Amino acid sequence: MQKWIRWGICLILIIGIVVFLIVDKEKVVLGKTSTVSFEDNFLLHIRTQETDDGVQVQNSIQYIGDPTVIVEHKNPLISVSYDGKHSFEGETVQRQMSNGSIYYQPKTDLDFPGDNEYIQIKVKCRVDGENIEFEYMEKIEFET
């Protein structure tokens, strides 16, 4: 009897894994992850993926320097657009970062790009009182 229970549990696990892989595969049609270095001590992580309504951009910055720093910024820290127009007018936020710290930002949902092949990303903040601005362009490529 125990042998049948083990086989039943194994079968349920296999079916669960297969279903998870099928559902997960359908969600990510466009899934590109990029990492870009800026200001010697920071990495910008970007992940773009297609959604039903357009493109979703997930992003974060990672600090790789030695001394602990204070990052101060208006919301958003990382702005994403097609046309290069960025607005940093939200509330001011401070975040202490040490070596290896990752500062995740809210996801950005954009409409389908139309004629634009690139998203434009801008990071704007102050690090220990020094102004930092970094701009980067990421090519959008849809799988066919």
Side-chain angles (χ1 to χ4, degrees):
M1 185 70 170
Q2 289 180 352
K3 189 176 186 180
W4 292 107
I5 292 173
R6 285 187 205 147
W7 280 106
I9 291 172
C10 286
L11 182 62
I12 290 170
L13 288 173
I14 291 170
I15 291 171
I17 290 170
V18 169
V19 168
F20 173 76
L21 291 174
I22 290 170
V23 169
D24 190 48
K25 191 179 221 180
E26 290 177 1
K27 289 181 185 175
V28 180
V29 175
L30 163 82
K32 180 179 179 187
T33 302
S34 302
T35 299
V36 182
S37 175
F38 70 99
E39 292 295 320
D40 297 329
N41 292 326
F42 288 94
L43 299 174
L44 172 64
H45 300 287
I46 306 154
R47 176 158 178 79
T48 55
Q49 65 186 45
E50 184 178 356
T51 64
D52 291 338
D53 299 323
V55 176
Q56 183 179 81
V57 182
Q58 302 168 9
N59 50 54
S60 63
I61 63 169
Q62 181 175 12
Y63 180 64
I64 55 173
D66 283 329
T68 298
V69 295
I70 302 293
V71 174
E72 182 178 354
H73 64 91
K74 297 224 179 234
N75 280 327
L77 167 62
I78 303 168
S79 176
V80 180
S81 72
Y82 289 122
D83 59 10
K85 295 178 183 175
H86 302 281
S87 176
F88 299 93
E89 298 179 6
E91 172 181 326
T92 300
V93 178
Q94 284 188 347
R95 177 85 172 241
Q96 182 174 323
M97 298 185 77
S98 56
N99 187 302
S101 296
I102 299 176
Y103 192 0
Y104 295 96
Q105 296 299 294
K107 298 173 186 174
T108 302
D109 292 311
L110 301 171
D111 293 332
F112 281 105
D115 294 339
N116 296 314
E117 291 183 3
Y118 292 89
I119 55 170
Q120 297 181 25
I121 300 164
K122 184 172 184 177
V123 178
K124 185 175 178 180
C125 61
R126 293 176 59 87
V127 177
D128 286 344
E130 180 184 335
N131 289 331
I132 292 178
E133 287 190 30
F134 175 73
E135 295 186 48
Y136 176 73
M137 291 177 65
E138 179 82 15
K139 186 169 183 167
I140 299 287
E141 296 178 356
F142 292 94
E143 291 182 9
T144 55

